[in-house]
Amino acid sequence: MTFKPPTITEFMSAAWTDLEPHYQSLLARLFDSACIAVWLADWSELRKLVDETYARLQLTSFQDTTDAEAEQRYYSFLENLYPKLQAADQQLKKKLLESGLEPEGMRVPLMRMRAEAQIFRDENLPLQTEERKLGSIYSKITGGQSIEYQGDSLTLQKAAAKMHTSDRAVREQLWRMASERQLQDRAAINALWMQAMELRQQIAANADLPDYRAYQWQQLHRFDYTPQDSKEFFEAIAEVAVPAAERVYARHCARLGLDSLRPWDLEREQSTMRFPGIQAYAKPEDFDAIAEGVFKQVDPELGAYFAAMRRENLLDLQNRPGKSPGAFCTSFATQARPFIFMNAVGLETDVRVLLHEAGHAFHVFERSRLPYHHQWRANMEFNEVASTAMEFLAAPYLSKSQGGYFSEADAARARVQHLENTLLFWPYMAIVSSFQHWVYEHPAQSSNSAECDTQWGALNARFMPSLDWSGLEDALATGWHRKLHIHRYPFYYIEYGLSQLGAVQIWANALRDQARALAAYRSALALGGTATISELYAAAGARLAFDAQTLGAAVDLLERTILELEG
């Protein structure tokens, strides 16, 4: 029997009655060890179509949050088709698991399938659809936030770019205007939060689990570490990274000639900024053109990957009104191609974001050589190593003398800022991740937004004690409103902290032998999801770690390099 799945165009316009026969055909087919590979490949083609349809519809709704038609297409897919596709996919998972067969390269994917099968419940499908819709509403609210400044309407991203000025009064004015605009949506985001908490608790209860953390831990395939390991990491951050971050803030304070740091003296709550801001490029089209040259310096094949993305219009980089905030890399599975979405405004920070998202894109290219879609997705703990490590691996090529963006002086400034912000990120990550543990350990309290405000403030006092929020208590308390992951991707944030530690280990290897470190990095990317998190870290030349000793070695390397660059 020849299996002929629809094209992506057909799939995106199909009704369930058109698609169900493809799933029924696979469900009815018999297979044994001799023909399992063909059956699995056919199922893989269907999974690619679902993956790409979801990615394209979500991306379109993010590209213009004012496009009601795009939003409706996305919601219609989530409500009418996606639950049925998930249920049908679950039946195929069950068929494969009950066969007892383990096709080559499927050891870890089968572990994931077993975990998913244990918590799958039909009654959760509509609840998960509602949860995704709440996430879209959250993005629509934040994407619509703008201010009027000197006769111009500015998105909050563009307002942040204008804060890269040595005029502190201007920085304060812009920050306060942006904060006031965010606080206008306080009640709306609180209302969404209460709905999301109710849904998540019900999803966990339906899956016969004690709380949503237990559900999400299994859903995220966290086989290599426990919630207690996470808390060990937070303690290591408090012991090692917080003092280092305080030293960064003290240097930044001295550079500015200030007695204390206020929020408008920082680029974001977890990163410093230099004044004047470092302009990365003059014209938007220069941004990705220069990046292509940088990646060719890192590795010719990686450069070729990025060149293909440019040719095939797989980049949406510039900020504009109505565009959802943030940055991410998604993928179009049937084409085995990545797509980068971000909000560039012309500054040095844009370069770091692009390097990061390009690391994800290179992961898509490398993993897509594996035969089955089931093998493509690694855990996010390693996906973020792919992206974060690229920030370090590309760093030697960012000066104009190497074909990059900056003068030698600005390249050094940008490098110091990157390393400083690496140190500052761990404490902020600990706030976000500790907050999420508290939320789902105390669901009755955390369903009350005022309790969330209090907890967020307490965590800030522990992990970021030197920032002066006096008179800005409402803005401080609602910091959890401004963290996309808390609202749309619960428990997805510690990955950044763990991967940053892995990336610094890869960078340390690159300082000794760049070519060898890069080869290990690419080899690990090519494994996709066929290995565990710990195995992937090891393949890349790093170690999945939570302890103060490993973190301390990374912090020491970062601080020593900053002193060398500034010396």
Side-chain angles (χ1 to χ4, degrees):
M1 179 186 299
T2 302
F3 185 76
K4 293 184 178 180
T7 66
I8 184 61
T9 302
E10 293 168 341
F11 193 95
M12 290 186 70
S13 60
W16 173 240
T17 52
D18 303 314
L19 301 177
E20 185 179 18
H22 297 288
Y23 286 91
Q24 291 300 324
S25 170
L26 284 175
L27 197 58
R29 273 164 60 181
L30 301 177
F31 56 74
D32 56 21
S33 58
C35 62
I36 181 65
V38 175
W39 183 86
L40 194 57
D42 289 344
W43 179 18
S44 180
E45 292 306 308
L46 279 181
R47 286 174 63 99
K48 290 177 188 177
L49 290 163
V50 176
D51 190 315
E52 183 164 335
T53 298
Y54 188 105
R56 286 187 178 277
L57 291 174
Q58 184 184 60
L59 175 65
T60 302
S61 71
F62 277 29
Q63 288 177 309
D64 184 358
T65 60
T66 69
D67 186 337
E69 185 178 343
E71 179 183 74
Q72 182 53 43
R73 285 197 302 271
Y74 179 45
Y75 283 177
S76 178
F77 174 75
L78 291 179
E79 292 171 355
N80 302 319
L81 195 54
Y82 195 55
K84 294 183 175 67
L85 293 167
Q86 287 179 296
D89 199 66
Q90 179 63 25
Q91 290 302 307
L92 296 175
K93 287 179 192 175
K94 183 178 178 182
K95 181 180 177 74
L96 175 58
L97 292 172
E98 289 178 348
S99 76
L101 297 172
E102 186 178 302
E104 184 179 356
M106 288 292 291
R107 171 180 63 94
V108 174
L110 284 170
M111 288 170 57
R112 295 194 183 98
M113 287 186 199
R114 292 187 192 100
E116 292 165 2
Q118 288 172 2
I119 60 173
F120 180 86
R121 301 291 187 275
D122 283 319
E123 58 267 34
N124 275 341
L125 294 175
L127 301 183
Q128 289 162 339
T129 295
E130 287 304 308
E131 186 187 20
R132 293 186 188 97
K133 287 173 65 177
L134 292 178
S136 293
I137 294 169
Y138 171 84
S139 289
K140 187 172 184 178
I141 289 171
T142 56
Q145 291 171 342
S146 62
I147 62 171
E148 296 295 322
Y149 179 72
Q150 294 184 343
D152 292 328
S153 178
L154 301 177
T155 64
L156 298 194
Q157 289 75 24
K158 288 186 176 178
K162 284 188 175 293
M163 287 177 61
H164 284 254
T165 171
S166 56
D167 189 330
R168 197 182 193 208
V170 171
R171 297 200 307 269
E172 179 177 355
Q173 181 186 11
L174 286 163
W175 188 92
R176 286 184 180 276
M177 291 175 71
S179 180
E180 288 167 7
R181 176 62 189 87
Q182 289 166 328
L183 286 169
Q184 289 174 20
D185 292 321
R186 186 176 189 174
I189 292 176
N190 284 341
L192 285 177
W193 177 251
M194 291 177 64
Q195 295 176 66
M197 284 296 296
E198 184 177 351
L199 283 171
R200 289 169 185 169
Q201 291 176 72
Q202 187 60 54
I203 287 167
N206 289 347
D208 304 310
L209 289 170
D211 54 50
Y212 187 74
R213 180 177 65 184
Y215 175 87
Q216 197 69 347
W217 217 262
Q218 191 160 336
Q219 184 70 21
L220 293 171
H221 310 131
R222 289 179 173 170
F223 310 133
D224 294 60
Y225 68 103
T226 66
Q228 190 55 44
D229 291 325
S230 300
K231 293 184 177 183
E232 179 188 349
F233 192 38
F234 306 151
E235 292 303 316
I237 288 168
E239 177 184 340
V240 176
V242 168
E246 292 298 292
R247 290 189 286 273
V248 171
Y249 285 129
R251 288 196 301 273
H252 186 55
C253 207
R255 282 195 296 261
L256 299 180
L258 302 174
D259 295 327
S260 64
L261 290 176
R262 303 283 274 165
W264 45 84
D265 299 318
L266 304 170
E267 182 178 4
R268 296 184 302 279
E269 293 166 23
Q270 72 275 24
S271 60
T272 62
M273 59 181 166
R274 298 295 182 101
F275 307 114
I278 303 172
Q279 195 73 24
Y281 51 91
K283 297 180 291 185
E285 56 268 27
D286 293 339
F287 185 32
D288 51 299
I290 295 171
E292 181 181 331
V294 168
F295 293 128
K296 285 178 178 175
Q297 290 271 67
V298 176
D299 181 271
E301 192 164 356
L302 298 184
Y305 291 157
F306 195 79
M309 295 184 72
R310 293 185 67 212
R311 285 195 310 272
E312 298 170 24
N313 297 316
L314 296 170
L315 304 167
D316 181 0
L317 306 182
Q318 300 299 315
N319 176 249
R320 58 181 175 271
K323 188 177 183 180
S324 181
F328 59 85
C329 176
T330 189
S331 63
F332 302 149
T334 69
Q335 302 174 36
R337 285 291 191 264
F339 187 101
I340 294 176
F341 170 100
M342 60 178 288
N343 281 274
V345 291
L347 296 175
E348 173 270 333
T349 48
D350 296 340
V351 175
R352 265 183 278 144
V353 172
L354 183 56
L355 295 178
H356 183 96
E357 300 305 336
H360 284 308
F362 300 150
H363 201 180
V364 172
F365 279 107
E366 295 283 356
R367 78 187 188 194
S368 297
R369 297 191 179 100
L370 293 163
Y372 311 125
H373 183 263
H374 314 71
Q375 299 172 311
W376 288 8
R377 291 191 183 277
N379 279 62
M380 294 310 301
E381 289 83 352
F382 184 74
N383 290 346
E384 295 299 338
V385 172
S387 55
T388 307
M390 185 50 54
E391 299 176 37
F392 291 93
L393 293 170
Y397 309 106
L398 295 182
S399 66
K400 289 181 179 177
S401 65
Q402 296 292 328
Y405 295 89
F406 310 117
S407 68
E408 294 297 329
D410 281 348
R413 287 177 64 207
R415 184 80 184 281
V416 167
Q417 192 164 341
H418 173 222
L419 299 178
E420 286 184 339
N421 291 344
T422 300
L423 289 168
L424 297 181
F425 179 74
W426 276 308
Y428 180 75
M429 185 283 300
I431 293 171
V432 175
S433 296
S434 296
F435 179 80
Q436 298 205 75
H437 281 270
W438 173 83
V439 161
Y440 299 106
E441 287 173 343
H442 306 87
Q445 288 175 262
S446 58
S447 295
N448 181 332
S449 58
E451 296 274 4
C452 292
D453 291 350
T454 300
Q455 181 66 15
W456 185 266
L459 289 168
N460 268 265
R462 182 185 184 199
F463 288 101
M464 297 173 66
S466 67
L467 297 189
D468 181 4
W469 288 88
S470 55
L472 307 169
E473 285 74 16
D474 284 349
L476 169 61
T478 54
W480 62 281
H481 280 196
R482 301 188 290 277
K483 183 42 60 184
L484 168 78
H485 303 74
I486 291 170
H487 300 272
R488 298 210 61 164
Y489 311 111
F491 277 101
Y492 176 18
Y493 210 67
I494 192 174
E495 291 89 340
Y496 293 118
L498 293 172
S499 66
Q500 188 167 270
L501 183 52
V504 173
Q505 294 175 69
I506 293 170
W507 172 49
N509 296 338
L511 292 175
R512 293 185 288 270
D513 187 335
Q514 170 102 352
R516 185 174 180 181
L518 188 68
Y521 164 82
R522 288 192 58 188
S523 294
L525 265 54
L527 291 172
T530 63
T532 65
I533 306 171
S534 298
E535 291 167 348
L536 290 168
Y537 271 65
R543 185 171 72 87
L544 180 67
F546 308 88
D547 60 287
Q549 184 177 355
T550 305
L551 181 60
V555 166
D556 182 61
L557 174 58
L558 290 161
E559 291 200 292
R560 282 190 286 108
T561 307
I562 290 168
L563 291 176
E564 290 167 7
L565 288 166
E566 289 194 323

